[in-house]
Structures are given as structure tokens and as C-alpha cells.
Amino acid sequence: MPATERPTQGRVLSWSGDPLLAAKFAPPAVAPALVTRPRLTDALSAGAQGPLTLVTGPAGAGKSAACAGWSRAGAAPGPVAWLTLDPGDGAPGVFWSYVLEALRRAVPGRLSGLPVPACPGRVASSLLVRLAAALEGLAEPVVLVLDGFEKVTGRQVPAGLDFLLAHAGPRFRLVVSSRVDPLLPLHRYRAEGRLTEIRGAALAFTPDETAALLRAHGLGVRDDAVRDEVVEGLARRTEGWAAGLRLCAVALQDAGDPAAFVRSFAASERAVSDYLLTEVLDAQPAGVRELLLRSSILDRVDPAVVDALTGRPGAEGVLERLGRDSVFLEIVPGTDGYRFHPLFAGVLRRRLQIEHPALVPRLHGRAAHLLASAGRPAEALEHAVQAGQWRFAASEAVRGLLVADLLAEPETSRIEQTFSCLPASVPGAEPALVAAACRLIRHDGPGCRARLRPAEDAARQGRPEAVTPEFRLTLALLRLLSVPYGPCEGPAAGEEAAAVAADLTPRPVPEHPGAHPGLEALRLRGLARSLLGCGLLDAARRTLAEAVGVCPPGTAVHLRHTCLGLLALAESADGALTSAEDHALESLAVADRHGLPAGHRSGTGLLALAAVALAQGDAEAARRRAEEAALCPDTRSDPLLRTQEAVLRCRFELAHGRWEAAAAVLAGRAADEEHWPAQQLALARAGVAQARGDHLTAAAALRGGTGAAALVALARSRLAMGSTGRALALLARAENTAHAGLPDRVAARLLRAQAAVAHGEKAAAERLVGDALDAARPERLRRPFIEAGPWLPYLLERSGGAGALRARSGWLTERAPGSGSPFPGPLQPLSARERDVLACVQRMMSADEIAAELGLSVNTVKTHLRSVYRKLCVSRRRDAVERGRELRLL
């Protein structure tokens, strides 16, 4: 035995005589409101089956608590020797003195003859040899837990541990808890499969564990929605950081409104700021502390940018060490940059503002220009705004085509939020473009057009900033997409803007072909919307189908959602009901699948589904879908969608015989300047007039209409007024119209059949009705048959031969899902007196009895009965009563 080392005579440090501190050999005391986490206990138990388990994470990650909980749970494979390390324990002699005592306490009597170090600065190799030999002779495993190993500096102690792991035999197990990786050859242990690692991500609290922690702190919230919001908010803010959760839980106990506390980022930061400042920031050297403060303004901390912000090179090495040492800094996957933990970043920024308030805008300005030069315009403009450099920010937004990205994906873009406080006094054409785009995504079309004027003036005058391809492309897109909110200049205006955009699109970004994936789809959507407003349904459908085809999968979600909805709307108007329903449902599925916020959802798909339901005879489903669409912001702002929603509500009321309510829906609505919405309003007004029997007013509402729908509606009024020749001439014009849709073609054939019935040409009428049934059947188009009038059911019931016409109409009499009948309501409502007469018929009263009951003449009663039969499309008393019950008139 060397003379410098001798067996211990007591529990003291041999060179100083100071006692060994017993508190260091026991796991930390159980924290209040402890949450047991079985998954970590299981992970430590599995790791302790091998020689080395490493538990690493930032300050307050719960390393000690996890190891202590595992030790107390008795889940270790044998006795546990616990040692909590302090800053002075890194000297080899001190360290191994405490290790020997910890192991003696765990396995009494087995290590009593081992020497103790005689000086703090070194340990003889013979001590480690004897310790390894003693451990190799153990009958059962022993686990040494070293808690707080980051306090051990230098290579001597790690080298001794490595020797011990190599020679102490299979029953010695080591668990190291540390903020940083120890200087052990971890790569070799990994390659040999002898290392278990439990890192910060595994230590983070899950949402379920967060909820358990809040309950343990007595923070039970009765309301499920509030509880879920609190748990989700805390988990997101803290990213599962144990100390942060506990500090926030303590602060929540004094908060009157837990949900408001969680929503306030400042409140979360205040709760953890003292801990982070003391345990993390103040523990760093002065130079590193300054680096952390200055780089805190960055969302992505890149070494080159940090070098420029600090004015000193070498940030890469410092950041790498900080990331390795778990100083709340982690690598951003796929980049050479890092990111701060959100709470740590907030604390750093507040400290920077307190210590160097004048430096903050200068740092943001410097970062803006650095990031712009590095080709990262989105990040650059955010820093420019923080620095108050609005014109530079707008210039970068235009130069980087970020306005196009904003229009394509407003739900994920930070640009609108960045420019939400753009002062109106900022001069220049580029700020005008950005302001116009922000107005457009808020569905403020007139505001967009007004803010485009300075940019348009700059383009006309050829100012330097207005001649770049990026500026011209952005201007062309904004003009194209804001066309619905200005005067209707015909499709030529939209086509011209779309052509300019198409001509410019490839030029700005040839070196980054995938940088702006929604550009072409955005251009096509704008062109299609212009075509749709002008009533060119075929061209709009082709363009929208092309737009959907070029929308990149997984990106431009809002754009794809809107294009699908517009396509469905155009198809529903053209009578392609099956395709319209498919595309509308796909539009809604895209929004649901990607969690599109309600404020960014389009009403186009819902309006298309409402139109399909109404066309197929399901008025109630149409009403529900139209009500959903009315809640969408674009339905309220886009004149075309606003008109379409009103027309659908009007037709729903007419389908239930409420022409007064239908007229009220249209009251006060001026004819739109776009062709198609104006035509839709005219048709709706004519339908209301026809429902109340005012065919002259209906014809006046349709005067000047040249489309197939207007000509068919006008023919219906002329036929009702007895002008059969005029009606047939109008129908011939409608059928020869190039863009006559399926509903118009079916309605025209039915009107020809009605005219044939009036002239006693039953065979011709049956042939025409059969053609209409065959044409409408693939799309289940019922509405023209529902609105045809009482002659149609009469003709179907009395069709000649073997009932071939009745067989062909079988699909028509199937009940539509959710509807009461394939003929859900009279085209003309019953008057109050007609309802009284029908109520008497239900009581099986004769005409004489009804006359006496109501004080009418018998002839007047018979006149009312004939009107009731006509309006209810029946010919017998029993059928009238049944129909009245179906319609809830009785």
C-alpha cells in the first residue's frame, strides 16, 4: 500500500479532516406535488440493465427528479449508491472520496478495506484498480448515480470512470445525470451498444403529464374546454420543460383566470424569468452572456449573423458548445442554425431591452439587411419592421414575391401580421402594394383597389422601383384578384392582367423554381373569377380545373380550397351536379384536413353544395349549407358570392311557397355591375313575380336578358300569359344559345311540353317530357320538374301505353335525402281563404257545408278548391289533404 494512502479511519476527507456530507448520499427530497412518470422509470430500469445510462437536459428539465423517483421506486436491479455533486467535487481526490463512501453505504462491508485519496489533486491508479476488483466480486448489481455531473471539470475524473466501467465487471452500473455530455468516449459506448441515453426530449412533460401536474398543484378546472386550453397552452409555451411548468403552475395558483394567464406570453415569461436568469444566463461568461442577449432577436440563430451582431468572430464554436451543453438552445433540423426555447428567448429579449434599449432597433436593422442579403426576405422584413424601416420592409416583401405567398396562403403567412401596423403615412409604391395585399386578404376589396392607385401611378410614370419584374407581377396579381370589387370591364380586363402575370411569372425566380409554388394557381384563380363574374361558365370551369391541377400538394392549402370551391360553384350553375358535389366536398375536406382557420375558409364550396341540394330537390339541405356559407368572410365581401347566397335563400323560400319571404330576401339589393350576379338577381326577382302570378312584372325583370336562363324564364312568363308563339320563339333562341346549361335545356323542354299539353298534343308532350327526364336523370336534376306546375304530375299519372313515361320518371319520384317529397312545395302559396277551405276539406265537409261554415257562396268555394288543386298539383280531395299535411299546411 502506498504510504500516501491508507484505509479510512472515519468518514472524513483524509487531507483536511473535514467530514463527508451525508446529505450528498441521499436522493433529493420529494418535491411538492410530485408527478410520477412511469415511462421515465421504465426507461431508467431498461438502461440500468447495461453499464452506462446518460440522463442529459437543460437546467430544470427534471433529471434529478426522474433519477430520484426511479431510485425510491425500487426499480433498480440492485442497491443504489447516490452521489449529488457540488462545484467543489470536481477535484479527483474529492470526487473519489465521495464515490467510495457512496458505494460503502450501498454495499456495506464489501469496500471497507479500500484506501482513501490522500490529497485532493490526484488519485493513484492502484485505488481504481482495487475498486474495480472489489466491484467485480459483487454477487448482485450495484448502481452508482452521479447527479449533477456537469460540475466535474477536466478529464481525470471521466478517465477514471471509463477505466472503472471497463474493469469493474458486469454488475457495476453507472447512471450519470448532467446538463452537458460528460467527457467519456460516448461514441464508443454507442457503437458497442452499451449506452442508454435519456435526453431533453424524453424528459419533457407530455400533455397528460402536464394535466397531472396541474391537478397535483390543486389547479382543477371544471370546464373541460378551459382545462384543455390551459394544458395545451402551457405545454406549447414551456415545450414540456419541467421547471417552467412547475413555476407556471405556482403562478397559476394566484391567477384569477388560468386561461388568460396561459394566453399571456408575458405572464409565462415573468413566472420563469428569475430561474432562467440565475441558473442559465448569469452562469455564462460575460462574452457568452452578451452573445446570447444580442442573438435573442433572431428566430433562427445563425453563426454568421451572430458574428455580425456581436462584431466578433467565433460564434459558431460558442453556439455549438451551448447547444451541446443544453443551454436552452437546439439545432434547427436541416440547417446550420439554432433556436432558443421560446421562454428563454422571451427572457433574453426583455433583459436586452432593459440593459440596452437603444441597441435593440439597431440590431434589428442590421439583422434585416444581413438576412435580405442572405436570401431570406421573410425574416428580413420582420426585423426591418421592428427597426421601424417600413419602406425597406415593403421593398423586400415585393422583391421576394412575398405578397404572392401571402395571397396564396394567408392562413400560414406572417406577412400580414408583420405589416398590420403599417402606417398609412409611409410613402412609396411598394408600401402601397403591401397595404393593398393586406386589405385583400381581409376581404376588403374596395380598400385594396384604393391602395393600388399609388402603385399604378408609379408604374405609369416608370419610376425605378416600379419597373422591376417583381413589382409588375405583384401589381398584376393584385389588379387581377381585386377585379370583382371594381367596375365590370368584361373578361378582357381579367385576361389582360392574367396575361401580364403569366408573362412575368417565370422571370423573377428562375434560380428558385419551387420558391413560390402558388403563383400560377393564383393567376389562374383570378382569371377564372373574372370569367365567372362575366357569366362565361365553360371558360371559368376549364381555367379553375387547370388551377386545381397546378396547386402543389401539401402547399397553398387556402388556394386549393378556394379553387375547388369556385370550380364546384361554376359546375353547379352549369348543371354538372355530381362533379360539383365532388369538388365541393373535396374543398371542405382540404380545409378540414389542414385545419384551415374559420376566418380563412371560403364559402364557395358550401354555396355549391346548397345549389346542388336545391337543384336535386332537397330544400332543407340547401338552407343549411347556405347558412353555413353566409358565415364565411368571402361570402359577405365578394359581390358574386353574396348574390349567390341571397338567390339560394330566395329559391328556398319559393320552394316552400313563401313568396313574400322570398321577396324580402331580395329587397334593397341593387343589381350588381358584374354580368352573372346581375343576371342571377334578375332571375330570382322574376321567379318571385311568377310565384305570385304577376307575369308582367316577371317579364319586366328579365327585359334585356340574352342568356339561356333569362330566355327560358321569359318564355315561362309569356306562356303563362297565353302568348304561346312568343314563348316558343324565346325557347328556340335559348336552345340555340352556345352556353345553355343542363337546367336551361331541361326547363326549355318542359315548357315546350306544357305548350303541347295546352294544345292537346299529348304524344308530343310525353316525348318532350321523356327527353327532359333522360337528360336530367344522370345529375338527379329535379328542380325544373318541381317548378313545372300541376300539368306535369297530371301528365305523368295519365301517360299512355304501358306506362313507359311513368317508368322513366321513377327516379324523379324518389324522395331526396332529408326532403319530404320529390315535389316539396307549391310554386304558388295558398291564400288564407284557400287554407281555410282546405281545412274544411280535411274535416270531410261538402261544398255546401264549407260555404255555410265560411260565409261564402258555393261557386266561390268551388273556385277556391280548383285553385288549391292547381297549386298543390293534385286532382282529388284526398290527395289535397295528404299534400297539405306533407307541407304542414294543416
Side-chain angles (χ1 to χ4, degrees):
M1 183 183 304
T4 56
E5 297 184 354
R6 61 184 183 277
T8 182
Q9 301 300 317
R11 301 296 185 255
V12 296
L13 293 169
S14 60
W15 59 87
S16 66
D18 293 335
L20 295 172
L21 300 174
K24 296 165 68 68
F25 303 116
V30 177
L34 176 69
V35 174
T36 58
R37 300 203 276 170
R39 62 183 181 86
L40 293 182
T41 301
D42 294 343
L44 284 164
S45 296
Q49 300 303 313
L52 177 59
T53 302
L54 180 60
V55 184
T56 57
K63 304 179 293 297
S64 299
C67 293
W70 170 71
S71 174
R72 288 196 180 89
V80 175
W82 184 281
L83 176 57
T84 300
L85 295 165
D86 292 317
D89 297 339
V94 178
F95 176 81
W96 288 108
S97 294
Y98 273 105
V99 167
L100 285 171
E101 179 61 21
L103 289 169
R104 286 193 188 98
R105 291 173 180 242
V107 285
R110 296 305 304 263
L111 305 177
S112 58
L114 290 180
V116 295
C119 67
R122 67 182 183 86
V123 172
S125 60
S126 63
L127 172 61
L128 299 181
V129 171
R130 295 184 186 193
L131 176 58
L135 293 173
E136 191 176 19
L138 291 176
E140 62 175 343
V142 63
V143 181
L144 173 61
V145 178
L146 300 177
D147 186 32
F149 196 75
E150 72 276 357
K151 301 179 182 71
V152 174
T153 59
R155 295 184 176 273
Q156 292 187 53
V157 168
L161 286 173
D162 184 37
F163 175 85
L164 200 61
L165 285 168
H167 298 92
R171 282 175 285 281
F172 175 64
R173 316 288 166 78
L174 178 61
V175 177
V176 176
S177 168
S178 176
R179 295 184 186 181
V180 302
D181 283 356
L183 295 176
L184 291 167
L186 299 179
H187 62 284
R188 193 179 75 227
Y189 289 108
R190 290 192 191 101
E192 295 170 354
R194 302 170 63 211
L195 172 65
T196 297
E197 298 178 84
I198 301 175
R199 299 271 179 185
L203 293 169
F205 272 63
T206 66
D208 287 342
E209 291 167 347
T210 301
L213 178 67
L214 294 179
R215 288 195 298 272
H217 278 81
L219 295 170
V221 181
R222 293 183 179 179
D223 188 286
D224 291 343
V226 175
R227 180 173 61 251
D228 291 344
E229 181 184 0
V230 170
V231 170
E232 191 275 333
L234 276 183
R236 185 182 67 254
R237 291 284 173 82
T238 63
E239 296 186 352
W241 175 44
L245 281 171
R246 289 191 180 278
L247 290 168
C248 287
V250 172
L252 272 170
Q253 291 175 324
D254 298 326
D257 186 348
F261 175 91
V262 171
R263 285 191 292 267
S264 170
F265 208 99
S268 304
E269 289 174 358
R270 284 193 295 272
V272 302
S273 60
D274 288 344
Y275 184 95
L276 289 172
L277 289 172
T278 303
E279 292 290 328
V280 183
L281 184 61
D282 292 345
Q284 303 301 321
V288 174
R289 186 179 186 278
E290 189 69 13
L291 180 146
L292 288 171
L293 289 175
R294 288 180 177 237
S295 59
S296 68
I297 68 165
L298 302 171
D299 287 335
R300 194 178 95 189
V301 184
D302 289 312
V305 179
V306 175
D307 282 343
L309 293 180
T310 59
R312 294 191 301 272
E316 184 173 7
V318 176
L319 292 172
E320 183 180 0
R321 180 184 67 77
L322 292 172
R324 188 176 60 248
D325 293 354
S326 302
V327 187
F328 292 91
L329 192 71
E330 63 180 22
I331 193 79
V332 177
T335 73
D336 59 353
Y338 298 80
R339 78 169 189 96
F340 287 113
H341 187 288
L343 288 176
F344 189 43
V347 169
L348 289 175
R349 288 165 187 164
R350 189 183 307 121
R351 179 56 54 180
L352 176 66
Q353 184 66 46
I354 293 171
E355 294 184 5
H356 308 291
L359 180 61
V360 174
R362 295 205 303 273
L363 289 173
H364 279 295
R366 194 179 306 167
H369 290 271
L370 288 167
L371 293 169
S373 301
R376 291 158 60 183
E379 297 168 77
L381 67 90
E382 292 184 17
H383 288 287
V385 167
Q386 291 290 326
Q389 300 175 6
W390 291 102
R391 294 194 67 175
F392 177 75
S395 174
E396 284 302 302
V398 173
R399 187 174 70 87
L401 290 178
L402 299 184
V403 171
D405 293 346
L406 168 64
L407 297 172
E409 296 191 86
E411 75 286 353
T412 59
S413 177
R414 295 165 60 180
I415 304 170
E416 196 273 338
Q417 182 181 0
T418 300
F419 284 104
S420 59
C421 298
L422 175 65
S425 59
V426 177
E430 290 160 325
L433 281 182
V434 173
C438 290
R439 289 285 181 169
L440 189 58
I441 67 164
R442 295 178 205 150
H443 305 284
D444 181 5
C448 171
R449 298 286 291 184
R451 281 157 181 77
L452 277 181
R453 293 188 190 111
E456 291 171 334
D457 292 342
R460 281 193 298 270
Q461 295 167 12
R463 296 179 198 166
E465 72 274 18
V467 297
T468 64
E470 296 88 349
F471 182 96
R472 291 163 57 205
L473 173 57
T474 303
L475 177 59
L477 283 175
L478 287 171
R479 290 186 64 192
L480 177 62
L481 295 170
S482 63
V483 162
Y485 306 101
C488 183
E489 303 165 12
E495 289 174 350
E496 179 185 358
V500 171
D503 182 53
L504 292 168
T505 296
R507 297 184 188 175
V509 284
E511 68 279 14
H512 303 294
H516 307 279
L519 266 177
E520 178 62 6
L522 200 63
R523 181 187 73 84
L524 290 170
R525 193 202 76 181
L527 173 58
R529 172 59 185 79
S530 178
L531 293 169
L532 194 60
C534 294
L536 303 177
L537 298 184
D538 288 344
R541 287 177 60 180
R542 288 193 301 271
T543 306
L544 284 164
E546 187 179 354
V548 170
V550 300
C551 275
T555 62
V557 173
H558 176 270
L559 185 55
R560 183 175 182 84
H561 163 65
T562 306
C563 286
L564 283 166
L566 275 174
L567 176 58
L569 192 61
E571 289 170 334
S572 69
D574 219 14
L577 304 182
T578 302
S579 180
E581 185 175 27
D582 289 345
H583 286 131
L585 291 174
E586 186 180 353
S587 171
L588 300 184
V590 166
D592 291 338
R593 188 162 56 246
H594 293 276
L596 209 62
H600 289 291
R601 295 202 177 202
S602 172
T604 50
L606 293 166
L607 289 174
L609 289 175
V612 169
L614 195 59
Q616 293 182 338
D618 191 350
E620 282 300 322
R623 178 188 60 79
R624 291 194 300 271
R625 291 298 192 180
E627 287 178 350
E628 290 180 62
L631 301 176
C632 297
D634 61 344
T635 304
R636 298 191 297 268
S637 61
D638 188 329
L640 186 149
L641 303 186
R642 192 168 60 239
T643 299
Q644 188 72 6
E645 186 266 337
V647 167
L648 286 168
R649 284 197 291 125
C650 171
R651 289 173 179 167
F652 167 78
E653 297 295 348
L654 287 180
H656 286 76
R658 300 189 288 262
W659 64 264
E660 297 94 340
V665 170
L666 304 178
R669 292 185 178 272
D672 197 273
E673 293 184 358
E674 286 188 287
H675 172 72
W676 194 46
Q679 184 186 57
Q680 294 293 96
L681 276 176
L683 288 169
R685 288 195 170 94
V688 173
Q690 288 167 349
R692 64 172 183 258
D694 188 354
H695 299 292
L696 285 175
T697 300
L702 297 166
R703 189 173 293 117
T706 56
L711 292 171
V712 169
L714 190 57
R716 180 179 289 110
S717 292
R718 295 302 181 192
L719 191 61
M721 290 187 288
S723 302
T724 304
R726 293 279 301 278
L728 293 175
L730 289 167
L731 292 174
R733 286 175 56 195
E735 290 166 334
N736 290 326
T737 301
H739 301 294
L742 178 63
D744 302 324
R745 297 196 304 273
V746 170
R749 287 174 187 155
L750 290 176
L751 287 173
R752 285 188 177 278
Q754 183 179 355
V757 168
H759 286 81
E761 300 171 359
K762 183 180 178 184
E766 289 183 354
R767 176 179 55 78
L768 288 164
V769 170
D771 290 346
L773 286 168
D774 292 343
R777 180 176 180 176
E779 301 293 348
R780 290 296 189 267
L781 176 62
R782 292 184 176 91
R783 185 165 164 257
F785 300 93
I786 294 170
E787 296 181 347
W791 64 271
L792 181 57
Y794 183 83
L795 181 69
L796 293 175
E797 289 175 7
R798 290 163 177 76
S799 59
L805 189 59
R806 285 198 299 274
R808 291 162 73 182
S809 67
W811 66 270
L812 184 64
T813 55
E814 295 171 359
R815 292 174 183 265
S819 68
S821 164
F823 295 98
L827 188 61
Q828 292 178 249
L830 301 187
S831 66
R833 185 57 78 184
E834 288 166 350
R835 286 181 179 237
D836 293 339
V837 170
L838 183 59
C840 292
V841 171
Q842 183 186 26
R843 292 157 56 191
M844 303 183 67
M845 298 171 65
S846 66
D848 291 338
E849 291 170 334
I850 295 173
E853 174 82 11
L854 300 179
L856 304 173
S857 69
V858 175
N859 286 336
T860 301
V861 169
K862 291 179 178 180
T863 300
H864 284 316
L865 276 175
R866 285 195 295 272
S867 179
V868 168
Y869 293 165
R870 177 177 59 81
K871 291 181 177 180
L872 296 181
C873 302
V874 297
S875 57
R876 297 183 302 176
R877 280 178 165 238
R878 179 185 299 174
D879 294 340
V881 171
E882 290 179 359
R883 183 80 174 111
R885 286 171 179 161
E886 284 184 2
L887 297 173
R888 299 181 181 179
L889 300 175
L890 296 174

